[in-house]
Amino acid sequence: MTASSAERADVSQETLLRNRKFVRFWLYFVLLTLFALVIVGGATRLTESGLSITEWKPIHGVIPPLSEAEWQEELEKYRQIPEYQQVNKGMSLDAFKTIFWWEWAHRLLARGVGFVFALPLAFFWLTGRLENSLKPKLLGILALGGLQGAVGWWMVASGLVDRVDVSQYRLATHLTIACLIFAATALVARGLAPHTTGKADESVRRFAGWMVIAVLFQIYLGGLVAGLRAGMTYNTWPLMDGALFPGGLFAQTPAWINFFENPKMVQFVHRLGAYALLILAVWQIVFVMRREPGTPHARRTILFGVLVMAQATVGIMTLIMVVPIDVALTHQGMALGVLFFACAHWRATKGPYPLPEPSRHSRDEDEVYAAV
């Protein structure tokens, strides 16, 4: 290779790394907007605001009521559903506005995330700044986002006819898909970041991947708890209803339905999930310390264990304080923090994405740059 060829190769690699940095910063911003969306979604649930907007208007719904007549029209629509008739009958317009704004903000943020993701994606793609290997990953995340919008309305629709709240099945699905989008975005962003060490042992990588799945499963269980308002009952710890293993866990038939529709069982299983996640986190520390002693991989497992312990502590506080909104939202936000760290650790054990060969477009761009 000639000196000029080596220079062009260096410049091409510099261009790829620079593009990676821009894409990574964009994805981190997407993660921040997703975090805000999930937190506002949690507040919408805790304030029982999710059914205040009874129609799905993806475009027109951006504009809130602008006159007294429009507000009265929205309130009249709300008066037609069971939640108003059985729970909030006689609600004033001012009280209705409070729950309306929470749901409107949640939907606006959801639309905003779509633009924050789709527009930069189009820019990076059309200007040749996106590596080919990233395109299917990012398109998959975009498709999940579209699915999430439909699932959100599917969830809301479950509470408009025969129920006074949304289905816990649909709420848990909605939350889990949001977290899948968050996790996928975090994995891609971390794969584009520089890594301070090489790949970990295959068993360490596999363990880290299972930890991501365990965190997602625990979040799903939390979604069932939220959907059934199961955290509002049995607000003692470590005992539940006066026992380590309370009675009445299989009060409903068939037996399997208790895991989804019996608030006592759902809360009990969520508690067990928290204990299991903490045990796995400690086990991962010991396992990685033996396989990769003194490495950043081992140090990350310790920090992950601390995060899981902190999350469990906040979860206990949420329970015994009977779900105050500030503590509950902290619990939800920390769940996303634990998920992010689990994803970052897993991706770090696998190393960064390999750099592709510079494209003809990149070489031409570098030659122009060198000429200037």
Side-chain angles (χ1 to χ4, degrees):
M1 179 183 289
T2 65
S4 60
S5 297
E7 273 182 25
R8 282 199 299 273
D10 289 341
V11 175
S12 295
Q13 187 174 61
E14 182 181 334
T15 300
L16 287 169
L17 292 173
R18 184 171 65 245
N19 289 340
R20 280 194 169 191
K21 181 176 70 173
F22 291 145
V23 172
R24 187 170 77 252
F25 287 167
W26 158 56
L27 292 177
Y28 285 148
F29 184 72
V30 170
L31 286 171
L32 285 175
T33 56
L34 285 169
F35 181 87
L37 176 61
V38 173
I39 295 301
V40 172
T44 301
R45 176 62 180 170
L46 289 166
T47 57
E48 300 184 0
S49 305
L51 298 177
S52 58
I53 302 177
T54 60
E55 297 175 317
W56 189 31
K57 298 178 179 177
I59 306 300
H60 180 65
V62 174
I63 304 171
L66 300 176
S67 67
E68 192 71 12
E70 290 180 351
W71 276 113
Q72 289 292 346
E73 181 183 349
E74 289 294 333
L75 177 56
E76 187 57 36
K77 292 174 184 175
Y78 180 63
R79 286 172 174 159
Q80 307 308 310
I81 69 171
E83 182 181 74
Y84 174 85
Q85 296 163 3
Q86 299 178 39
V87 179
N88 292 328
K89 196 169 183 66
M91 173 180 275
S92 68
L93 180 60
D94 286 341
F96 172 72
K97 287 180 180 180
T98 299
I99 64 172
F100 180 95
W101 283 123
W102 274 116
E103 175 64 7
W104 181 83
H106 183 52
R107 296 191 187 194
L108 184 69
L109 264 174
R111 294 178 177 98
V113 170
F115 282 107
V116 165
F117 193 90
L119 295 182
L121 173 61
F123 170 77
F124 287 124
W125 192 311
L126 295 174
T127 57
R129 290 174 168 83
L130 206 59
E131 298 166 24
N132 288 332
S133 61
L134 295 180
K135 292 176 181 178
K137 296 180 176 67
L138 296 173
L139 283 178
I141 294 172
L142 185 63
L144 266 180
L147 174 65
Q148 175 71 331
V151 169
W153 174 246
W154 177 62
M155 177 188 69
V156 170
S158 68
L160 298 180
V161 181
D162 299 319
R163 300 172 57 107
V164 297
D165 54 9
V166 300
S167 162
Q168 72 274 19
Y169 296 100
R170 300 186 188 189
L171 186 145
T173 301
H174 187 54
L175 175 62
T176 305
I177 293 175
C179 291
L180 282 172
I181 295 169
F182 186 88
T185 305
L187 286 168
V188 175
R190 188 67 179 94
L192 295 172
H195 288 54
T196 56
T197 190
K199 290 182 180 180
D201 179 81
E202 183 180 352
S203 61
V204 171
R205 298 199 302 269
R206 188 163 53 246
F207 203 142
W210 280 111
M211 288 304 302
V212 172
I213 294 173
V215 173
L216 283 168
F217 182 65
Q218 179 66 355
I219 289 173
Y220 173 78
L221 294 176
L224 291 176
V225 170
L228 288 171
R229 295 184 177 85
M232 300 291 187
T233 56
Y234 309 109
N235 302 102
T236 58
W237 186 87
L239 300 182
M240 180 179 177
D241 199 19
L244 286 174
F245 293 91
L249 295 177
F250 290 95
Q252 301 179 22
T253 54
W256 66 266
I257 208 168
N258 289 277
F259 292 95
F260 301 96
E261 299 189 9
N262 181 346
K264 178 180 275 191
M265 174 64 90
V266 168
Q267 188 196 122
F268 182 67
V269 172
H270 189 51
R271 291 187 185 209
L272 293 182
Y275 303 148
L277 186 61
L278 186 56
I279 291 169
L280 283 172
V282 173
W283 182 14
Q284 182 179 226
I285 293 171
V286 176
F287 185 84
V288 179
M289 284 290 188
R290 290 175 174 174
R291 295 293 196 283
E292 303 274 351
T295 64
H297 304 308
R299 291 192 290 271
R300 276 193 305 272
T301 63
I302 297 174
L303 181 53
F304 179 74
V306 171
L307 286 174
V308 173
M309 176 64 76
Q311 170 68 340
T313 302
V314 174
I316 294 167
M317 291 173 57
T318 305
L319 178 70
I320 63 178
M321 296 172 71
V322 197
V323 198
I325 188 170
D326 53 344
V327 182
L329 291 180
T330 300
H331 186 50
Q332 185 162 324
M334 287 184 66
L336 287 178
V338 171
L339 178 60
F340 174 81
F341 199 86
C343 291
H345 172 58
W346 183 29
R347 184 62 247 183
T349 64
K350 300 167 72 174
Y353 294 134
L355 282 169
E357 289 295 322
S359 66
R360 176 64 190 171
H361 174 82
S362 297
R363 290 195 295 269
D364 292 344
E365 180 182 324
D366 294 334
E367 287 171 4
V368 170
Y369 173 80
V372 172

